[in-house]
Amino acid sequence: MGVDKVQVHRPGAFKQTNKLHKHGRHRSKGSISNDSKGKVSVKTLSKANKRELNKEQRRHQALQIRQNKRNEVLNKKRSLGGLDYAPFLVCLVPLSKNADPKQALECLTKCDSEAIINKSPTGVTHICTPRFKQKFSFIIPSSDNELAVLDALKVSDTVIFLLSTSGGVEEDSLIDKWGQNILMSSFSQGLATPVVAVSDLESITQKKRHDYKQQVQKLISKWLPEEKVVTLDNDSDGINILRKIGNQKKKTVLYRDRRPHIYAEDVLFVPNETGPYGTLKVTGYLRGSPLSVNGLVHLPGIGDFQMSQIDAPFDPFSVDKNKNKDLSTTDQNEKFNIRILDQADITKQESLDAENTPDPMDGEQTWPTNEEIEMAEQDSKMKKVKKVPKGWSDYQAAWIPDDDAEFQADLEDSDDEESNSNMDAMSEEKSEASEQEDQEFDTVTESEVAANDEKYDQEMDIMAERQELEKLKAAKSDRMFPDEVDTPLDQPARIRYQRYRGLESFRTSPWDPKENLPSDYARIFQFENFDRTKKRVLKEQEDVDGARPGWYITIHVKDVSQLLWSNFEKINAPLIVFGVLPHEYKMSVLNVVLKRTPNYSLPIKSKERLIFQCGYRRFVTNPIFSQHTNGQKHKFERFFQPESTAVATFFGRIQFPPSPVLCYKEENGQLNLVATGSLLSCNPDRIILKRIVLSGHPFKIYKKSAVIRFMFFNREDIVYFKPCKLRTKMGRIGHIKEPLGTHGHIKCIFDGQLKSQDTVLLNLYKRVFPKWTYEDLVVSVVNNEEMET
């Protein structure tokens, strides 16, 4: 009997291969290649086109980037304070009247017996310590001029805040009001590397010294949490402070480090043979970035000027690092051997033209012919049919800008007229306030008035007091009833508010930024792409041909007024030179973000005179304020309220951010820091819309309609503002249906039933622009107004 053969399945050429289980074990490249059977992934094919690096190449690239960054940091650290470079510029600032900066400087100069001490004509004390192989320059700005202290802090590498325990360890005795203002201002403008030194601890008994120092440390931690207080009473303390200055990590201040700057070691004014101008020769160490002779320079308190020449004189503070001896006794011939580095080229030199010169005939038409006049008259008699884009609503068609031609004349809408019109809701409150004000005053005889009261009254300005009271009342009214105004009774609303328009949505409704611009906008400059221009200018600044940072140079500033220089010499302020980047002298519209400071509680009105310090510039202007929000349109703020943030817009000279901003207000001959912030943009297209709100009150209320009164007072105004959208304070939305009668009653439709205590609002908007009130704060203004600070 035969045995049956077993049938075995043999796979064919199209055998199905299932995925292997991902067991996690390593697979060799050969096994992967065998499984793929020569197929190459798309990712591998695209590597050559994308120039992707393999693992070894990526490791080498990361190593090179890391090494380059390390070398850059080391070079930057070595280029400051070394024997072949510019010394550390250290500013001594006392935070109270008890601290003596001259005594502290004397302690630092005598702490090292081997140190070489020199002094420049402008009062800069140079200390070269052979043991550290480092150089230091110490300056003491005058405490009588707060702006001079801030100018010195702008260019300092290190600032030593001096405290004294001679008056006790209370907060007011260690840091007085002047010291608090200096700390707040220096933090806002960009603080250099700080060192906190306390003196007069040796006058305290040994048991109490540690407790006193701990109390000082606790107080300083409120302002500088990471700084440790050091003592400055003897030679060892001075050596420790010099060592700390030379070894601590330096803070970077971008707006300063990106621009060349010089603290004047020596100054010489050479008047011209003819004319009231001359050449100012400023000598000092160049810091920051390279300086080109064809660029512009800014001298705080004097102005912006061109340079004619850059020299490389002998450095009287140099030290031979091999022999560690002073070279100030070098041969006289070498001292007077001045080498000319570069001279200005008229064809490449930056211009001092700050404004654009508009053509008055640009865009003008020729005088119309008689035929064109007759055709225009015929068209005016015909009914106008307006063409609008497809999909536009009746509301949008009614408020397009072409309707402005049908208006008879634009009335000047001033803020004074709006401030005179009061709201009905506030009339009773104002009358009560006036009655209360009358009750506060009473008649007294001359015998009842004391002598000190007469003296006090003579010193007080009663008109200024009343103006301040009116401002407080207006700010309170604007905060309680924002933008609400009364419809005038003696003038039609369609005439009074003809420059305003309604918006379907404040966020999404279009508004052309080039529409109806004032004539001042023809005088300014605008960038096609501001960010791209800033990136290009900063990149070119790194490779500019000229004097390099760390060199001891003399710059020749030409066409300086003799009057300005003579006035500047009278004030006790340091002379500082800042290099101006390309385009930074031209005028444009600046927008800065400001936050109110806690030491000034009064409201600030828009278009009020303020003093700004934007980066290295200081000027006077009258800004307008707007809300700091996202989007293309921003609401105008009538008052910059305390404890708030706003954007100030004004005409000013262009600057590339980041740039810190300090805002001052002058009162009684003193400057009060009212706000701090930073530069937001140089954008003339920022749309700032002023809003007015017309309010009405329900007269009769139905299910979804209501009769509103007191919003308008004639039928024509209601028909004119019919396309506008209505809203209520309780969130209802509606529109005008039709007028009722001829005395201003309106029938309105809403999305729900109104409540009797609700108020109906109608929003109208117009664009506002800043006024051309820019004025550079030069020394003549400082003499008249700020010398008492």
Side-chain angles (χ1 to χ4, degrees):
M1 188 175 172
V3 180
D4 296 335
K5 293 183 179 181
V6 179
Q7 297 293 331
V8 180
H9 173 71
R10 299 184 181 278
F14 301 102
K15 172 189 174 183
Q16 177 182 347
T17 304
N18 296 327
K19 284 185 177 181
L20 297 178
H21 174 66
K22 294 183 179 180
H23 43 68
R25 291 194 294 270
H26 175 70
R27 297 178 63 198
S28 64
K29 293 183 180 180
S31 63
I32 296 175
S33 178
N34 291 333
D35 292 343
S36 61
K37 299 185 184 302
K39 292 184 290 185
V40 182
S41 65
V42 179
K43 185 177 181 181
T44 305
L45 289 173
S46 60
K47 268 190 177 183
N49 296 332
K50 294 181 180 179
R51 296 182 181 179
E52 293 185 2
L53 307 177
N54 56 31
K55 186 177 182 180
E56 191 68 21
Q57 291 173 333
R58 291 196 302 270
R59 184 185 294 114
H60 281 300
Q61 187 184 45
L63 181 63
Q64 290 174 352
I65 294 174
R66 188 163 58 249
Q67 189 65 31
N68 291 337
K69 288 185 178 180
R70 183 182 292 112
N71 293 337
E72 184 180 354
V73 172
L74 290 176
N75 291 335
K76 187 175 181 180
K77 185 177 181 180
R78 291 168 182 167
S79 64
L80 186 63
L83 297 180
D84 295 333
Y85 303 98
F88 294 103
L89 186 60
V90 185
C91 183
L92 297 172
V93 179
L95 296 181
S96 66
K97 296 180 179 180
N98 298 325
D100 187 5
K102 295 182 179 179
Q103 183 180 356
L105 180 59
E106 185 180 357
C107 181
L108 292 171
T109 54
K110 295 180 178 180
C111 64
D112 189 0
S113 59
E114 299 179 356
I116 302 171
I117 311 298
N118 292 311
K119 197 167 184 179
S120 69
T122 56
V124 183
T125 303
H126 292 265
I127 301 177
C128 178
T129 56
R131 68 167 70 188
F132 300 140
K133 295 182 180 180
Q134 290 176 334
K135 297 188 299 182
F136 305 89
S137 298
F138 291 91
I139 56 176
I140 303 177
S142 174
S143 58
D144 297 333
N145 192 346
E146 183 178 339
L147 298 180
V149 178
L150 295 180
D151 287 339
L153 290 177
K154 287 179 186 177
V155 295
S156 299
D157 301 312
T158 303
V159 53
I160 300 180
F161 291 118
L162 300 175
L163 303 174
S164 176
T165 57
S166 60
V169 290
E170 292 79 10
E171 184 174 357
D172 295 337
S173 60
L174 287 176
I175 305 178
D176 55 14
K177 185 177 180 181
W178 185 87
Q180 293 178 4
N181 293 337
I182 288 294
L183 284 174
M184 189 180 303
S185 301
S186 59
F187 290 153
S188 302
Q189 78 170 5
L191 181 64
T193 308
V195 175
V196 182
V198 58
S199 60
D200 299 326
L201 276 178
E202 291 187 348
S203 61
I204 305 172
T205 58
Q206 185 70 29
K207 294 182 179 180
K208 295 183 179 180
R209 288 182 188 175
H210 181 71
D211 295 337
Y212 272 46
K213 189 175 180 181
Q214 291 296 325
Q215 294 181 25
V216 174
Q217 180 68 57
K218 184 178 180 181
L219 174 61
I220 288 298
S221 298
K222 298 179 181 179
W223 298 91
L224 299 165
E226 299 178 357
E227 288 302 316
K228 185 178 180 181
V229 176
V230 296
T231 58
L232 182 58
D233 284 323
N234 50 42
D235 294 345
S236 61
D237 294 338
I239 291 292
N240 291 335
I241 288 181
L242 292 179
R243 183 185 291 109
K244 183 175 183 179
I245 294 173
N247 295 334
Q248 67 181 355
K249 184 179 179 181
K250 303 299 177 185
K251 292 185 178 181
T252 59
V253 183
L254 281 179
Y255 83 95
R256 179 195 66 188
D257 296 338
R258 285 177 174 175
R259 296 169 177 85
H261 53 275
I262 298 174
Y263 187 92
E265 302 275 355
D266 193 7
V267 182
L268 177 63
F269 184 80
V270 180
N272 295 337
E273 297 180 357
T274 58
Y277 297 96
T279 301
L280 185 64
K281 298 181 180 180
V282 183
T283 304
Y285 290 98
L286 180 64
R287 294 176 172 87
S289 61
L291 176 63
S292 174
V293 70
N294 294 320
L296 301 179
V297 291
H298 174 74
L299 282 66
I302 303 179
D304 296 77
F305 304 94
Q306 294 177 332
M307 292 178 289
S308 60
Q309 184 176 311
I310 297 180
D311 300 337
F314 170 76
D315 187 359
F317 313 110
S318 63
V319 175
D320 188 352
K321 63 180 180 180
N322 296 324
K323 299 181 181 180
N324 288 336
K325 69 175 183 178
D326 187 7
L327 293 185
S328 59
T329 59
T330 315
D331 187 16
Q332 296 294 329
N333 295 330
E334 186 178 355
K335 285 188 177 182
F336 292 102
N337 184 16
I338 299 177
R339 182 165 52 95
I340 298 176
L341 290 179
D342 200 358
Q343 291 183 339
D345 186 358
I346 300 178
T347 59
K348 298 180 180 179
Q349 202 166 26
E350 288 284 339
S351 174
L352 284 173
D353 295 333
E355 301 178 16
N356 186 22
T357 304
D359 184 6
M361 299 301 296
D362 186 18
E364 293 291 333
Q365 296 180 353
T366 58
W367 189 259
T369 61
N370 294 331
E371 297 179 356
E372 292 175 344
I373 295 175
E374 293 178 358
M375 293 178 61
E377 291 177 355
Q378 294 178 1
D379 293 340
S380 62
K381 295 178 181 179
M382 297 175 61
K383 186 177 179 181
K384 269 193 174 181
V385 179
K386 190 181 301 181
K387 293 183 179 180
V388 297
K390 188 176 181 181
W392 275 34
S393 63
D394 296 337
Y395 164 80
Q396 291 172 314
W399 288 95
I400 60 177
D402 293 341
D403 281 351
D404 292 346
E406 298 179 0
F407 295 153
Q408 294 179 358
D410 288 345
L411 298 179
E412 192 65 27
D413 188 15
S414 62
D415 294 333
D416 297 335
E417 295 178 358
E418 293 183 7
S419 62
N420 293 333
S421 61
N422 301 321
M423 295 171 292
D424 292 337
M426 295 296 297
S427 59
E428 296 180 1
E429 180 180 348
K430 289 192 175 183
S431 61
E432 293 175 1
S434 61
E435 292 177 2
Q436 183 178 0
E437 183 179 356
D438 295 337
Q439 294 174 1
E440 291 178 357
F441 295 93
D442 196 4
T443 58
V444 294
T445 61
E446 293 183 0
S447 60
E448 296 175 345
V449 181
N452 56 352
D453 291 341
E454 293 180 356
K455 183 178 179 181
Y456 185 83
D457 291 341
Q458 291 176 0
E459 295 177 353
M460 185 182 66
D461 188 357
I462 187 63
M463 295 302 298
E465 291 283 329
R466 291 180 178 177
Q467 291 177 2
E468 192 170 302
L469 178 61
E470 291 297 328
K471 184 191 295 185
L472 287 172
K473 289 182 178 179
K476 181 180 179 181
S477 173
D478 183 70
R479 185 169 59 251
M480 295 177 62
F481 304 95
D483 305 326
E484 289 193 28
V485 297
D486 287 339
T487 305
L489 294 173
D490 57 344
Q491 187 181 16
R494 63 186 184 278
I495 302 299
R496 175 67 178 83
Y497 305 122
Q498 65 179 348
R499 300 180 65 183
Y500 289 81
R501 68 180 71 172
L503 292 178
E504 178 72 20
S505 171
F506 184 83
R507 184 179 62 87
T508 60
S509 296
W511 196 299
D512 187 6
K514 303 297 183 183
E515 175 188 354
N516 295 333
L517 295 178
S519 59
D520 288 338
Y521 272 59
R523 301 164 58 186
I524 64 173
F525 292 85
Q526 183 176 4
F527 297 97
E528 183 177 353
N529 191 321
F530 182 76
D531 295 332
R532 184 173 59 196
T533 304
K534 171 192 168 184
K535 188 176 181 180
R536 177 182 58 80
V537 168
L538 295 179
K539 186 176 181 181
E540 292 175 354
Q541 182 64 20
E542 298 176 357
D543 303 327
V544 69
D545 294 332
R548 313 306 295 178
W551 290 4
Y552 189 78
I553 61 173
T554 298
I555 62 172
H556 296 243
V557 183
K558 65 179 184 180
D559 296 336
V560 179
S561 172
Q562 295 185 22
L563 179 60
L564 281 178
W565 175 244
S566 62
N567 289 337
F568 185 83
E569 286 183 315
K570 296 177 184 178
I571 66 175
N572 195 4
L575 179 61
I576 298 171
V577 179
F578 271 97
V580 179
L581 297 180
H583 311 297
E584 283 195 336
Y585 183 68
K586 296 180 174 62
M587 296 290 293
S588 185
V589 177
L590 272 63
N591 305 295
V592 298
V593 182
L594 296 177
K595 184 178 181 180
R596 289 294 300 269
T597 56
N599 59 346
Y600 190 81
S601 59
L602 296 178
I604 302 174
K605 190 176 181 180
S606 282
K607 302 178 184 179
E608 192 171 346
R609 183 179 183 271
L610 298 173
I611 299 175
F612 282 87
Q613 177 182 299
C614 184
Y616 57 90
R617 290 190 182 277
R618 198 175 288 122
F619 51 87
V620 181
T621 188
N622 299 54
I624 60 174
F625 299 107
S626 59
Q627 290 183 351
H628 184 37
T629 54
N630 294 328
Q632 296 180 348
K633 296 182 287 296
H634 311 272
K635 195 179 85 66
F636 171 77
E637 293 288 336
R638 289 176 171 81
F639 290 92
F640 188 11
Q641 300 285 358
E643 299 179 359
S644 62
T645 302
V647 176
T649 302
F650 49 85
F651 289 102
R653 302 199 189 277
I654 295 170
Q655 279 198 40
F656 294 108
S659 184
V661 177
L662 279 69
C663 181
Y664 293 91
K665 191 175 188 304
E666 183 185 4
E667 288 186 345
N668 300 325
Q670 294 185 352
L671 295 182
N672 296 323
L673 183 64
V674 298
T676 60
S678 60
L679 178 62
L680 180 63
S681 63
C682 299
N683 182 21
D685 289 341
R686 179 182 174 90
I687 301 175
I688 302 175
L689 298 183
K690 183 176 184 179
R691 183 183 70 175
I692 62 169
V693 180
L694 304 181
S695 59
H697 303 277
F699 180 60
K700 294 181 180 179
I701 299 175
Y702 301 99
K703 188 173 183 180
K704 284 200 172 183
S705 64
V707 178
I708 308 300
R709 60 177 178 175
F710 302 147
M711 181 177 288
F712 302 106
F713 299 100
N714 57 71
R715 185 183 185 91
E716 291 77 9
D717 288 342
I718 299 173
V719 175
Y720 179 80
F721 288 101
K722 185 177 180 180
C724 292
K725 190 177 181 180
L726 301 177
R727 66 178 182 89
T728 69
K729 289 187 176 181
M730 294 187 178
R732 295 297 180 191
I733 298 175
H735 62 276
I736 299 174
K737 183 178 181 182
E738 59 183 358
L740 299 176
T742 60
H743 297 289
H745 285 209
I746 318 170
K747 184 176 182 180
C748 303
I749 306 297
F750 294 94
D751 58 351
Q753 189 174 18
L754 296 186
K755 295 183 178 180
S756 58
Q757 67 271 24
D758 204 351
T759 304
V760 181
L761 306 175
L762 186 148
N763 295 339
L764 299 175
Y765 302 90
K766 79 165 183 176
R767 186 177 179 184
V768 292
F769 304 92
K771 301 293 184 181
W772 192 288
T773 57
Y774 178 86
E775 180 183 354
D776 285 313
L777 194 63
V778 296
V779 68
S780 58
V781 179
V782 175
N783 279 334
N784 294 333
E785 301 172 0
E786 299 172 20
M787 283 301 295
E788 298 180 3
T789 59

